[in-house]
């Protein structure tokens, strides 16, 4: 097969996923304090009645041949993250929180076949290689290690966005990682494995950190710190299905004209002199989000999302590199100012951006139409997508129309 479109299947080997992950030398002191914060956060989760599944045992009876299709939603950051403490295991320096957004989703099918010696990846109908394929193979290798086989895989993925334009910062890589993990685990280990959201979350993280949050749905908290073990680095859902039924997400997709890459931001952010301060404030912000989510207090979540959008931009903008990373486009300033004008008029609305210019307005269902009309009046020529809080990654039965559409 063409070496530019395929990657070899790695030899079967069990990785030591229970061991501590890497701690960068410059963050040795911070690792201890972030570990202590993690203990406090987990204690607060228990007090709030938030539970999670046990990580399953590793004596899987894997299948060399199998197929499965899964669907997962894009997410929007509330408490953001940048920087990876361990690039192999993709663990973060600090916990982070997001909300799944049904403005976009990804459908992914995985077919394991013992006759294949290479993996292939098709995204939106196009055979894909290089970095995207390598990230997918990382997940497949981990699943193969759990299943105990070396079968190659065909992976087909389709991003579904209800807008005419593409966008940067919409969270589709999170959806892709969650859908891939769910489908791969079901195909190799059976549907029961795909129903263990802790296992799915840990596996999804290996493609994109935020994918671990997309996997569990709703308002999701990713538990992470430098040195955490793979099995303990997962996401949990903080809200119930009806806690935030009145919150709406108004998404304005915007493409980055500078070609900004998330991987660039991950490498640069920890060099900012503001990064440690951002980490040290995270425990208190997480606890505030936990209280807000458990009471359906979407406005507190919105305020924190807007504040941390500014912090995220400040960290990446002040990173030590030859060219500062401006993640925003001129349209962003118009959208941000509109948000502030609406609040002065008594309209409860808050903006949020992640890596890239795409902007999501968090508001109440009663004000959604006013927010949409106000954005339209700016004359920016942008798409506007109205959405709600979305659920976790799920398997699709073969007869499902989306599953059968490949």
């Amino acid at each position: 097969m063409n070496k530019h479109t395929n990657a070899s299947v790695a030899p079967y080997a069990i990785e030591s996923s229970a061991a501590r992950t890497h701690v960068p030398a410059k963050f040795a002191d911070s690792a201890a304090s972030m570990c202590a914060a993690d203990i406090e956060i987990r204690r607060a989760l228990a007090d709030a009645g938030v539970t999670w599944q046990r990580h399953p045992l590793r004596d899987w009876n894997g299948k060399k041949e199998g197929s499965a299709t899964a669907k997962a939603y894009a997410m929007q950051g509330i408490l953001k993250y940048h920087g990876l403490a361990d690039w192999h295991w993709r663990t973060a320096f600090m916990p982070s929180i997001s909300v799944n957004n049904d403005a976009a989703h990804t459908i992914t099918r995985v077919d394991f076949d013992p006759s294949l010696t290479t993996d292939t990846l098709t995204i939106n109908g196009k055979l894909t290689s290089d970095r995207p394929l390598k990230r997918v193979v990382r997940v497949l290798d981990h699943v193969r290690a759990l299943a105990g086989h070396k079968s190659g895989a065909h992976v087909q993925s389709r991003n579904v966005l209800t807008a005419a334009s593409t966008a940067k910062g919409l969270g589709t890589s999170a959806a892709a990682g969650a859908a891939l993990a769910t489908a791969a685990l079901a195909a190799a280990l059976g549907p029961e494995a795909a129903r263990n959201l802790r296992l799915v979350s840990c596996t999804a993280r290996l493609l994109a950190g935020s994918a671990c949050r997309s996997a569990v749905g709703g308002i999701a908290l990713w538990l992470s710190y430098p040195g955490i073990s793979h099995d303990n680095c997962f996401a949990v859902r903080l809200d119930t299905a009806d806690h935030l039924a009145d919150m709406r997400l108004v998404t304005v997709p915007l493409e980055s004209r500078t070609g900004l890459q998330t991987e660039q931001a991950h490498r640069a952010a920890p060099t900012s002199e503001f990064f440690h301060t951002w980490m040290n404030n995270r425990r208190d912000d997480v606890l505030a989000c936990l209280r807000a989510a458990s009471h359906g207090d979407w406005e507190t979540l919105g305020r924190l999302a807007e504040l941390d959008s500014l912090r995220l931009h400040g960290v990446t903008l002040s990173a030590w590199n030859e060219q500062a990373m401006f993640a925003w486009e001129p349209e962003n300033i118009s959208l941000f100012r509109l948000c502030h004008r609406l609040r002065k008029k008594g309209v409860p609305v808050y903006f949020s951006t992640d890596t890239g210019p795409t902007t999501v307005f968090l508001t109440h269902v009663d004000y959604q139409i006013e927010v949409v009309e106000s954005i339209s009046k700016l004359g920016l020529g942008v798409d506007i997508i109205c959405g709600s809080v979305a659920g976790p990654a799920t398997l699709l039965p073969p007869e499902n129309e989306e599953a059968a559409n490949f």
Side-chain angles (χ1 to χ4, degrees):
M1 288 196 173
N2 189 325
K3 66 180 181 179
H4 296 297
T5 57
N6 301 284
S8 298
V9 177
Y12 162 61
I14 292 290
E15 296 181 276
S16 179
S17 58
R20 280 172 54 86
T21 55
H22 177 65
V23 178
K26 293 183 179 180
F27 289 86
D29 292 339
S30 298
S33 62
M34 295 307 293
C35 178
D38 180 80
I39 293 171
E40 289 187 52
I41 290 169
R42 292 181 195 237
R43 187 180 298 124
L45 290 171
D47 292 343
V50 177
T51 61
W52 51 86
Q53 294 158 294
R54 291 182 179 272
H55 199 281
L57 299 175
R58 296 182 179 83
D59 55 351
W60 297 102
N61 183 21
K63 301 180 294 180
K64 293 183 179 180
E65 186 171 6
S67 301
T69 305
K71 176 179 182 178
Y73 293 95
M75 62 83 224
Q76 181 62 34
I78 294 176
L79 298 183
K80 330 288 180 166
Y81 95 100
H82 263 163
L84 293 170
D86 188 314
W87 279 82
H88 178 71
W89 290 106
R90 296 191 78 88
T91 57
F93 287 95
M94 56 188 170
S96 55
I97 293 176
S98 62
V99 56
N100 269 19
N101 183 357
D102 66 8
H105 65 269
T106 298
I107 308 291
T108 299
R109 177 185 172 97
V110 176
D111 295 282
F112 282 110
D113 185 341
S115 69
L116 298 176
T117 57
T118 57
D119 298 317
T120 61
L121 170 64
T122 302
I123 301 177
N124 296 331
K126 293 183 178 180
L127 199 60
T128 304
S129 60
D130 301 325
R131 181 63 179 159
L133 177 58
K134 289 179 181 179
R135 294 176 69 180
V136 166
V137 170
R138 171 70 182 103
V139 174
L140 296 175
D141 283 346
H142 184 71
V143 173
R144 281 188 282 253
L146 294 175
H149 67 68
K150 296 184 287 185
S151 298
H154 287 308
V155 177
Q156 301 172 77
S157 191
R158 184 175 70 253
N159 295 320
V160 181
L161 172 64
T162 54
S165 62
T166 57
K168 176 60 183 170
L170 186 59
T172 51
S173 61
L180 172 64
T182 303
L185 287 167
L189 302 175
E192 190 63 31
R195 285 192 281 269
N196 186 306
L197 291 184
R198 178 169 174 177
L199 176 63
V200 174
S201 180
C202 286
T203 306
R205 195 191 72 243
L206 302 179
L207 184 136
S210 52
C212 78
R213 298 190 306 257
S214 178
V216 303
I219 305 296
L221 163 64
W222 172 15
L223 297 161
S224 190
Y225 60 86
I228 192 173
S229 69
H230 165 73
D231 293 354
N232 278 321
C233 190
F234 58 91
V236 294
R237 183 169 182 171
L238 302 182
D239 63 312
T240 63
D242 59 350
H243 270 164
L244 296 168
D246 292 334
M247 186 171 82
R248 292 295 181 267
L249 306 168
V250 180
T251 302
V252 181
L254 296 170
E255 188 55 68
S256 172
R257 298 185 182 98
T258 63
L260 178 69
Q261 298 296 315
T262 304
E263 299 281 292
Q264 290 178 287
H266 282 320
R267 294 191 182 280
T271 66
S272 168
E273 62 187 65
F274 302 132
F275 190 80
H276 281 85
T277 301
W278 197 31
M279 286 177 62
N280 293 335
N281 289 333
R282 185 49 55 95
R283 184 204 63 173
D284 291 344
D285 288 343
V286 166
L287 295 178
C289 279
L290 172 59
R291 290 190 295 270
S294 63
H295 291 92
D297 179 7
W298 72 268
E299 285 201 71
T300 292
L301 295 173
R303 281 192 290 270
L304 287 167
E306 183 170 311
L307 175 60
D308 217 50
S309 297
L310 301 173
R311 289 171 174 163
L312 177 75
H313 191 69
V315 167
T316 53
L317 192 61
S318 60
W320 180 254
N321 53 30
E322 294 182 1
Q323 186 172 351
M325 277 188 241
F326 287 95
W328 296 334
E329 296 294 335
E331 292 89 342
N332 286 110
I333 304 303
S334 297
L335 292 169
F336 299 164
R337 287 175 174 168
L338 169 65
C339 189
H340 289 176
R341 289 198 301 272
L342 287 173
R343 284 213 297 271
K344 285 183 179 179
K345 288 173 53 180
V347 177
V349 59
Y350 304 88
F351 70 78
S352 178
T353 60
D354 291 336
T355 309
T358 290
T359 303
V360 176
F361 289 89
L362 284 68
T363 190
H364 189 274
V365 61
D366 292 344
Y367 296 91
Q368 175 179 282
I369 293 176
E370 184 172 357
V371 171
V372 170
E373 290 178 345
S374 297
I375 297 170
S376 297
K377 289 177 182 177
L378 291 176
L380 299 176
V382 295
D383 288 313
I384 305 171
I385 309 170
C386 296
S388 302
V389 178
T394 55
L395 284 175
L396 297 180
E399 64 273 14
N400 182 279
E401 183 178 350
E402 290 182 298
N405 223 2
F406 283 109

